[in-house]
Amino acid sequence: MNRLISILEEKLVPVAAWIEQNKYINGIRRAFIMLMPLLMIGSLFLMIQAFPLPAYQRGMASLLGENWKDIFDIPVNTTFSMLAVYISFLVAQQLAKQFDLDSIAVGLLSMASFLILTPLGKTAEFGNVITFEWLGSKGMFIAMLIGVATVIIFRFFIQKNILVKMPEGVPPEVIRSFEALIPGAVILTLALLLRVGMEHTSFGTIHDFVYKVLAVPLKSLGTSYIGSMFTVLAISVLWSVGINSGSMVNGIVRPFWLENQVENIAAMQAGQPLPHVITEQFFDMIWMGGAGATLSLLLAIIIFAKSKHIRAVGEIGAVPGLFNINEPVLFGLPIILNPIMLIPFNIIPLVMVTTQYIAMTIGIVSRPIGIAFPWPTPAVISGFLTVGDISGSIMQIVNLIIGAMIYLPFLRILDKAAKKEEETNSEE
C-alpha cells in the first residue's frame, strides 16, 4: 500500500498541478462558479413552485390563483433557460482575466458571437426570432467553445499589436475600448461566415453539429454509471495524496451535469417523468461529510472508538462534518497518506454511487428534480432537497449506515493501535 501511495504521489501530483494551473480549464471552472449563485436563486423560486406538500400547493393556489405557478416560471426560465447565454459571456470573461485582456469586451464579443450563430425560429407575428432551444443547457457546450475561441482570436490581435492606435492623452478606458474594434470586427465577421457556411451543410447550424458530434457522446460518457464511478474515484484518489480535487474534477464535468439538471427541471414543470439520474445534486447526496463520505466514519468513531485521540478527532470533526467540511478528520486522524484508512475512503463512494444509482433507476428513490443548493447543506436535508421527497433522506441514511459498516473494521485497527500506544505512554 505504501508503494501504491508513492506511485500516486509521483504520477498524479504533477497532472493535478498542471490542471490546476491550466488557464483554459481555470477559466471555464471559474465561469461555472460565478454562475452558481444565479442557479441557486433560480432553484429557490423552483422550490417555492414545486414544494411537494399537497396542502402547500392548495394554499398557494387559493392565495395567488390557480395559475400561480406561471408567476414563478418567469424567474426559473430566466435562469435555467438562458444558461448558454450566460456561459458564453462568463467563460470568455473569466478566461480573458487569465491572460490580462479586457475581460468585459471579450465577454460581450463572445456573447454576441454566440447569438449570431444561434438559429432563429419563426413566428407568424414577429417573423424570425431567437428561440429558447439553444439558449439553455442544450447550447452550453458550443457557448464554452465560442468563449474559448473568442479569447484566442482576441489575444492574437493583442500580441501582434493589430489595434486601433489612439493619440497620447486619451484616457486609458477609451484606449482599451478602441483596442477591441479590429479584433471585435474580425470575431463577429467570422461568426457570421461560420453561420452562413453551416447553413449549407446537412447539420444546418454549428449548434446542431457540435451538439450531435461532440456534446452528446461526451455527455453520455460523463453522466453514465461508469462515468459516475470514475468521477468519484478520481476525487477520492486525488484526495488520498492531499490534493483538494472536488472543484477540479467537478469543473470538468459540471457542464454535462448541468444540462441533465435543466432537462429534469423542464420535465418536472411539464409533469413528465424525470429523464436523468446523474446530476450534480446526485453527487451532493454522496459526499456526506465531504470527500470519502467521512460522516459515516464520524458515526463509527462516536459509537465504537475507544482511543482518546480518535474520539477527540471525532468530537472536533463532528460539527464541521455535518456541514461537509472534513479537513479535521482527513488530517487529524489522519486519512491522507494513511494506508489503512485510504482503502475504505476510496471504496465507500463507489459503493454509495452504486446503491443510489440502482435505487433511483428502478424507482425506489426519486430522481433529482434539479434544485441547486449550497454544498455545506447537511445530509438528510440535502437528500430531501435533491429529490423533493423523503426518499432522498432515507437513501442518505441507508448509505450513511453502509459507509459506517465499511469504515468500522479499518477504524478498529487504527483505534486498537492508538489505544495501545496511549496505554503504553500512560504507564511510562
Side-chain angles (χ1 to χ4, degrees):
M1 189 65 182
N2 287 328
R3 175 60 180 161
L4 177 60
I5 292 174
S6 298
I7 293 173
L8 291 176
E9 284 185 301
E10 181 182 343
K11 302 296 183 183
L12 291 180
V13 170
V15 174
W18 178 83
I19 293 175
E20 195 68 30
Q21 295 169 9
N22 186 280
K23 292 184 176 181
Y24 292 96
I25 295 176
N26 267 328
I28 294 173
R29 186 173 65 204
R30 291 180 182 182
F32 279 93
I33 292 172
M34 296 284 290
L35 188 64
M36 287 308 294
L38 185 65
L39 297 181
M40 289 180 186
I41 295 169
S43 295
L44 177 62
F45 286 103
L46 181 63
M47 195 184 307
I48 294 171
Q49 181 196 64
F51 196 74
L53 283 178
Y56 168 82
Q57 295 287 331
R58 289 193 298 270
M60 292 295 286
S62 63
L63 182 65
L64 300 176
E66 291 298 324
N67 297 323
W68 70 275
K69 289 188 176 183
D70 294 344
I71 300 172
F72 292 94
D73 271 341
I74 297 170
V76 171
N77 290 333
T78 303
T79 50
F80 291 104
S81 297
M82 298 283 288
L83 286 177
V85 179
Y86 305 139
I87 285 297
S88 67
F89 176 85
L90 287 172
V91 167
Q93 186 233 4
Q94 291 297 312
L95 186 53
K97 284 184 175 182
Q98 303 285 309
F99 293 105
D100 295 322
L101 303 175
D102 186 344
S103 60
I104 300 299
V106 175
L108 290 173
L109 286 171
S110 174
M111 185 167 64
S113 299
F114 173 79
L115 294 174
I116 286 174
L117 289 164
T118 300
L120 300 175
K122 287 184 178 293
T123 64
E125 186 176 358
F126 298 106
N128 290 333
V129 295
I130 295 178
T131 64
F132 277 103
E133 180 185 7
W134 294 105
L135 301 185
S137 60
K138 196 174 178 182
M140 278 199 306
F141 199 78
I142 181 63
M144 288 189 293
L145 294 179
I146 290 170
V148 172
T150 301
V151 171
I152 291 173
I153 296 171
F154 195 96
R155 186 169 175 240
F156 170 81
F157 280 87
I158 296 295
Q159 289 177 326
K160 300 298 182 181
N161 203 27
I162 307 174
L163 307 167
V164 173
K165 307 296 183 181
M166 299 296 291
E168 294 184 7
V170 176
E173 59 272 15
V174 176
I175 293 175
R176 289 180 72 86
S177 65
F178 274 87
E179 283 179 348
L181 283 177
I182 295 177
V186 171
I187 289 167
L188 297 185
T189 301
L190 289 175
L192 183 60
L193 291 174
L194 180 58
R195 177 187 177 126
V196 173
M198 289 303 299
E199 288 177 352
H200 293 84
T201 69
S202 59
F203 291 98
T205 66
I206 188 65
H207 288 68
D208 198 44
F209 170 77
V210 169
Y211 187 75
K212 290 179 178 177
V213 175
L214 294 177
V216 171
L218 289 174
K219 176 187 169 185
S220 299
L221 177 63
T223 61
S224 65
Y225 167 69
I226 298 299
S228 303
M229 295 287 276
F230 276 116
T231 297
V232 296
L233 183 61
I235 291 173
S236 299
V237 168
L238 289 169
W239 260 115
S240 298
V241 291
I243 299 171
N244 190 336
S245 53
S247 60
M248 180 171 63
V249 176
N250 291 351
I252 296 172
V253 292
R254 182 171 282 129
F256 307 114
W257 294 342
L258 188 53
E259 183 174 350
N260 282 5
Q261 178 184 344
V262 173
E263 289 176 3
N264 277 8
I265 290 172
M268 183 186 66
Q269 289 178 314
Q272 299 172 350
L274 305 185
H276 302 294
V277 169
I278 304 299
T279 67
E280 184 166 0
Q281 292 73 44
F282 175 92
F283 296 96
D284 290 336
M285 286 180 64
I286 298 295
W287 302 124
M288 295 179 288
T294 50
L295 193 60
S296 291
L297 176 58
L298 286 168
L299 179 64
I301 288 174
I302 291 170
I303 297 175
F304 296 104
K306 297 179 181 179
S307 159
K308 291 180 181 179
H309 166 70
I310 292 179
R311 290 194 66 84
V313 170
E315 291 169 2
I316 293 170
V319 174
L322 288 174
F323 297 94
N324 305 322
I325 300 168
N326 62 352
E327 278 78 2
V329 178
L330 294 179
F331 298 100
L333 199 60
I335 293 176
I336 304 301
L337 300 179
N338 185 328
I340 296 173
M341 296 308 297
L342 284 180
I343 296 172
F345 181 80
N346 285 275
I347 290 175
I348 286 171
L350 301 177
V351 174
M352 289 184 175
V353 164
T354 301
T355 57
Q356 189 168 295
Y357 186 88
I358 292 173
M360 289 183 175
T361 301
I362 65 178
I364 297 176
V365 176
S366 303
R367 298 186 176 193
I369 60 176
I371 289 176
F373 47 84
W375 62 266
T377 303
V380 181
I381 297 174
S382 62
F384 180 86
L385 293 176
T386 295
V387 306
D389 59 55
I390 198 67
S391 66
S393 300
I394 295 172
M395 182 74 255
Q396 284 191 303
I397 293 170
V398 171
N399 267 343
L400 193 66
I401 295 170
I402 292 172
M405 292 172 64
I406 296 173
Y407 267 121
L408 184 56
F410 299 92
L411 173 64
R412 280 183 165 166
I413 294 172
L414 214 64
D415 186 54
K416 186 177 180 180
K419 181 70 173 174
K420 185 176 180 180
E421 183 179 353
E422 288 168 3
E423 289 174 351
T424 301
N425 292 339
S426 178
E427 290 174 1
E428 291 178 354

